[in-house]
C-alpha cells in the first residue's frame, strides 16, 4: 500500500511540474496618457551606477519587448526620443515561522495504527508530531514610469507587487513586466489584480 501511495504521489508531482504556474500581482497605475501620441520613440533613463547590473539590463530588455508590442520604438543613443522610460525593482526575503501539528495515532490491540480522537493527554502511545520550521516568502516590486522629454510631464506610472514562495526573481520577472503593461494604459488611480500564466522553461 505504501509503495502504491508513493507511486501516486510521484506521478502527481510530475503532472504538476509540467503545468504552467500562475503569477498573481497587484497592479496600480496612474496616468495622463495623451489620446493621440504620434511619436512613440523613447530612451531609457540611466540607472544609478550601483544598479547598472547585467540583471537590471536583462529586465530592461523585457520592458523593451513589451513596449515594442505596444508600438513604441527605442531611439537608441543617437536618436531624438520624445519619451523617457524609467525602471526600478526590488526583492525582499520575508522569513515566516510555521508550526504544523500532525494528527496523533495509536496502535490498538490488533496492531493497527488508528487516529486518536479523545485528546493527546489520555494516550501513552501518542504518535502525533509537531514541526517547527521557517518558510521563506519573497516580496517583489517593479516600478516603471514614462515621461515626456520636451516638457518633463509624467505620463504613466505603474507599480507591480507580487508575493511568492519562488526564490527566483528572473523566473518571476517576465510575468511582472507583462502585468505592468496589461491593458495599457489601463485604469488610472486604481489597484487591480492581474493573473498571468508563466510557462515553465523547457
Amino acid at each position: 500500500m505504501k509503495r502504491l501511495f508513493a507511486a501516486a504521489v510521484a506521478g502527481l508531482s510530475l503532472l504538476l511540474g509540467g503545468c504552467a504556474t500562475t503569477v498573481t500581482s497587484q497592479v496600480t497605475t496612474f496616468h495622463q496618457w495623451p489620446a493621440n501620441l504620434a511619436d512613440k520613440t523613447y530612451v531609457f533613463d540611466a540607472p544609478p551606477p550601483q544598479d547598472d547590473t547585467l540583471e537590471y539590463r536583462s529586465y530592461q530588455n523585457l520592458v523593451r519587448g513589451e513596449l515594442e508590442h505596444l508600438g513604441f520604438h527605442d531611439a537608441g543613443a543617437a536618436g531624438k526620443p520624445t519619451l523617457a522610460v524609467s525602471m526600478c525593482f526590488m526583492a525582499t526575503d520575508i522569513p515566516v515561522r510555521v508550526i504544523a501539528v500532525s494528527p496523533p495515532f495509536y496502535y490498538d490491540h490488533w496492531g493497527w495504527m488508528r487516529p486518536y480522537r479523545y485528546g493527546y493527554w489520555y494516550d501513552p502511545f501518542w504518535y502525533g508530531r509537531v514541526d517547527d520550521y521557517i518558510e521563506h516568502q519573497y516580496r517583489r516590486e517593479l516600478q516603471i514610469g514614462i515621461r515626456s522629454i520636451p516638457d518633463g510631464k509624467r505620463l504613466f506610472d505603474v507599480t507591480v507587487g507580487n508575493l511568492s514562495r519562488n526564490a527566483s526573481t528572473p523566473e518571476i520577472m517576465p510575468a511582472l513586466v507583462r502585468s505592468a503593461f496589461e491593458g495599457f494604459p489601463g485604469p488610472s488611480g486604481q489597484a487591480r489584480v492581474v493573473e498571468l500564466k508563466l510557462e515553465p522553461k523547457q
Side-chain angles (χ1 to χ4, degrees), residues 92-98 133-139 163-165:
T92 306
D93 182 0
I94 305 175
V96 178
R97 185 184 180 189
V98 178
Y133 59 93
I134 298 297
E135 182 179 273
H136 291 267
Q137 297 183 346
Y138 301 89
R139 171 70 184 177
L163 185 64
S164 170
R165 285 183 291 182

Coordinates of all heavy atoms in Angstrom, one line a residue, residues 92-98 133-139 163-165:
T92 N 12.6 41.3 -1.6 CA 12.8 41.2 -0.2 C 12.4 39.8 0.3 O 11.3 39.3 0.0 CB 12.0 42.2 0.6 OG1 12.2 43.5 0.0 CG2 12.3 42.2 2.0
D93 N 13.3 39.2 1.0 CA 13.1 37.9 1.6 C 12.4 38.1 2.9 O 12.8 38.8 3.8 CB 14.4 37.2 1.8 CG 14.2 35.8 2.4 OD1 13.1 35.3 2.7 OD2 15.3 35.1 2.7
I94 N 11.2 37.4 3.1 CA 10.4 37.6 4.3 C 10.3 36.2 4.9 O 9.5 35.3 4.5 CB 9.0 38.1 4.0 CG1 9.0 39.4 3.2 CG2 8.1 38.3 5.3 CD1 7.7 39.9 2.8
P95 N 11.1 35.9 6.0 CA 11.0 34.6 6.6 C 9.8 34.5 7.6 O 9.5 35.5 8.3 CB 12.3 34.5 7.4 CG 12.7 35.9 7.6 CD 12.2 36.7 6.5
V96 N 9.0 33.4 7.5 CA 7.8 33.3 8.3 C 8.0 32.0 9.1 O 8.3 30.9 8.5 CB 6.6 33.2 7.4 CG1 5.3 33.0 8.3 CG2 6.4 34.5 6.6
R97 N 7.8 32.0 10.4 CA 7.9 30.8 11.2 C 6.5 30.1 11.1 O 5.5 30.6 11.3 CB 8.1 31.2 12.7 CG 8.3 29.9 13.6 CD 8.5 30.3 15.0 NE 8.7 29.2 15.9 CZ 8.7 29.2 17.2 NH1 8.5 30.4 17.8 NH2 8.9 28.1 17.9
V98 N 6.6 28.8 10.8 CA 5.5 27.9 10.7 C 5.5 26.8 11.7 O 6.5 26.1 11.8 CB 5.4 27.3 9.2 CG1 4.2 26.4 9.1 CG2 5.4 28.4 8.2
Y133 N 9.3 25.2 11.6 CA 10.3 25.5 10.6 C 10.1 26.9 10.0 O 9.1 27.5 10.3 CB 10.3 24.4 9.4 CG 8.9 24.3 8.7 CD1 8.7 25.1 7.6 CD2 7.9 23.5 9.2 CE1 7.4 25.0 7.0 CE2 6.7 23.4 8.6 CZ 6.5 24.2 7.5 OH 5.2 24.1 6.9
I134 N 11.1 27.3 9.3 CA 11.0 28.7 8.7 C 10.6 28.5 7.2 O 11.3 27.8 6.4 CB 12.3 29.4 8.8 CG1 12.6 29.6 10.3 CG2 12.2 30.8 8.1 CD1 11.6 30.5 11.0
E135 N 9.6 29.2 6.8 CA 9.2 29.2 5.3 C 9.5 30.6 4.8 O 9.1 31.6 5.4 CB 7.7 28.9 5.2 CG 7.2 28.9 3.8 CD 5.7 28.6 3.7 OE1 5.4 27.4 3.7 OE2 4.9 29.5 3.7
H136 N 10.2 30.6 3.6 CA 10.6 31.9 3.1 C 9.6 32.3 2.0 O 9.2 31.6 1.1 CB 12.0 31.8 2.4 CG 13.0 31.7 3.4 ND1 13.7 32.7 4.0 CD2 13.5 30.5 4.1 CE1 14.6 32.3 4.8 NE2 14.5 31.0 4.9
Q137 N 9.1 33.6 2.1 CA 8.3 34.2 1.1 C 9.1 35.4 0.5 O 9.9 36.0 1.2 CB 6.9 34.7 1.6 CG 6.1 33.5 2.1 CD 4.7 34.0 2.6 OE1 4.5 35.2 2.8 NE2 3.8 33.0 2.8
Y138 N 8.8 35.7 -0.7 CA 9.6 36.8 -1.4 C 8.7 37.9 -1.9 O 7.8 37.6 -2.7 CB 10.4 36.2 -2.5 CG 11.4 35.1 -2.0 CD1 11.0 33.8 -1.9 CD2 12.7 35.5 -1.5 CE1 11.9 32.8 -1.4 CE2 13.5 34.5 -1.0 CZ 13.1 33.2 -1.0 OH 14.0 32.2 -0.5
R139 N 8.9 39.1 -1.4 CA 8.1 40.2 -1.9 C 8.9 41.0 -3.0 O 10.0 41.3 -2.8 CB 7.8 41.2 -0.7 CG 7.2 42.5 -1.1 CD 5.8 42.4 -1.5 NE 5.2 43.7 -2.0 CZ 4.0 43.8 -2.5 NH1 3.2 42.8 -2.6 NH2 3.6 45.0 -2.9
L163 N 3.9 38.6 -4.2 CA 4.4 37.8 -3.0 C 4.3 36.4 -3.4 O 3.3 35.8 -3.8 CB 3.5 38.1 -1.8 CG 4.0 37.4 -0.5 CD1 5.3 38.0 0.0 CD2 2.9 37.6 0.6
S164 N 5.5 35.7 -3.3 CA 5.6 34.4 -3.8 C 6.6 33.6 -3.0 O 7.5 34.2 -2.3 CB 6.1 34.4 -5.3 OG 6.4 33.1 -5.8
R165 N 6.5 32.3 -3.0 CA 7.5 31.4 -2.4 C 8.6 31.0 -3.4 O 9.5 30.3 -3.0 CB 6.8 30.1 -1.8 CG 6.0 30.4 -0.5 CD 5.4 29.2 0.0 NE 4.3 28.7 -0.8 CZ 3.6 27.6 -0.5 NH1 3.9 26.9 0.6 NH2 2.6 27.2 -1.3

